[in-house]
Amino acid sequence: MSRTRTPKPRAEPGSGRPRRDPVVPPQHGAWGFLGLPLLLGVAAAGWSPWLPELAVAWVAAYPASWAVTGLLTARGRRERFRRAVLLWTPLCLLAGAPLLVTHPWLGWVLLGYLALFAVNLLEARRHRERSMTNDLVLVAECVLLVPVVAGVVDGVGNALTTEVLLAMLVTALALVGSTLHVKSLIRERNNPAYTTASRVFAVAAPVVVVAACAASGTSGWLAAPFVLLAARAIWWHDPGWRPARIGLVELAGFSLVAAAGFWTL
């Protein structure tokens, strides 16, 4: 029986020191995606002592799924993801297990998320981790968290109130708009179709939110952040910006959307 040799850690350029395997995904903008549905879920449904555990399980699930995906599908040196798997997966399980025991219906939710994760794995095997399909799956996972928060707070029977549905709509519009805008500035900056799609979507979003607010009797101020996001897509569309600056603008936009949710829902 042959033994598999573990590759030696790579050295930092110019330092001679081994480079430690990463434990955090390099897609830093995704953290804002995780926070927005949590905040809007609280804005729509209120608070529960179980929410801190849900938040820990939810946030830990992102780097855990990234690490598991890398361990299963990376093209080279898959073992570099092992450290992250061993860090984040137990944390996610420890936070999520009590929730599953006390809220058994979350088992069905978990199956739904596993089905979405299967799509992530399929895209990763095709080396399409940055595809629009993969990004929209992440958006769907985030949108579905809003009724999960509401179900944990008020019971599964109150997971789809008018406020929760509005919060889901706002989450979807903010995250899809952000995805299109960022892609048009970075990975698809040479593709004018993405710029057009980003601007059309950004202009349509406040109209959709105003119509939804009017139909539900909610204050139209919920649409105010989307007016600013439309301005960002039209007048602040500068592919010369560094990714960090783009990310800060998107994070500010998410913060405004969350604040509007707490103000109106």
Side-chain angles (χ1 to χ4, degrees):
M1 182 183 294
S2 62
R3 293 190 302 173
T4 302
R5 296 176 61 186
T6 302
K8 295 180 180 179
R10 292 172 293 175
E12 293 282 2
S15 68
R17 292 179 301 177
R19 187 188 339 185
R20 303 191 73 184
D21 293 332
V23 295
V24 177
Q27 295 85 12
H28 303 301
W31 299 105
F33 275 51
L34 301 179
L36 184 62
L38 273 173
L39 292 173
L40 286 175
V42 173
W47 179 257
S48 165
W50 287 106
L51 287 184
E53 285 198 54
L54 177 62
V56 171
W58 166 249
V59 173
Y62 169 59
S65 62
W66 162 78
V68 170
T69 299
L71 195 63
L72 295 176
T73 67
R75 279 177 265 195
R77 222 174 70 84
R78 295 182 180 181
E79 68 276 4
R80 71 186 185 273
F81 293 98
R82 191 170 297 143
R83 182 165 164 252
V85 169
L86 294 176
L87 172 65
W88 295 108
T89 304
L91 180 61
C92 183
L93 294 175
L94 286 173
L99 284 165
L100 281 173
V101 171
T102 56
H103 304 76
W105 55 271
L106 285 174
W108 296 104
V109 174
L110 179 60
L111 290 177
Y113 275 106
L114 289 175
L116 292 171
F117 180 56
V119 179
N120 295 140
L121 283 177
L122 180 62
E123 288 295 287
R125 287 190 180 279
R126 295 172 175 172
H127 310 304
R128 289 168 44 86
E129 296 90 342
R130 301 297 182 91
S131 69
M132 193 66 192
T133 298
N134 219 30
D135 290 338
L136 290 178
V137 169
L138 174 60
V139 171
E141 291 166 347
C142 293
V143 171
L144 289 175
L145 182 71
V146 177
V148 171
V149 171
V152 170
V153 171
D154 283 334
V156 67
N158 296 312
L160 291 176
T161 63
T162 299
E163 292 80 8
V164 172
L165 291 173
L166 265 178
M168 293 174 68
L169 173 66
V170 167
T171 301
L173 292 174
L175 298 187
V176 173
S178 179
T179 299
L180 289 171
H181 179 65
V182 172
K183 278 188 174 295
S184 73
L185 289 173
I186 302 178
R187 297 187 66 84
E188 301 291 342
R189 58 182 175 272
N190 296 321
N191 186 347
Y194 268 86
T195 299
T196 300
S198 170
R199 288 172 170 170
V200 170
F201 190 92
V203 170
V207 178
V208 172
V209 176
V210 167
C213 289
S216 62
T218 305
S219 170
W221 282 107
L222 187 59
F226 290 94
V227 175
L228 296 176
L229 292 175
R232 160 272 259 152
I234 295 172
W235 289 296
W236 296 340
H237 189 276
D238 185 355
W241 282 12
R242 294 177 63 85
R245 187 178 183 186
I246 296 170
L248 287 174
V249 171
E250 296 307 292
L251 184 59
F254 292 164
S255 300
L256 291 173
V257 172
F262 277 100
W263 182 264
T264 59
L265 293 176

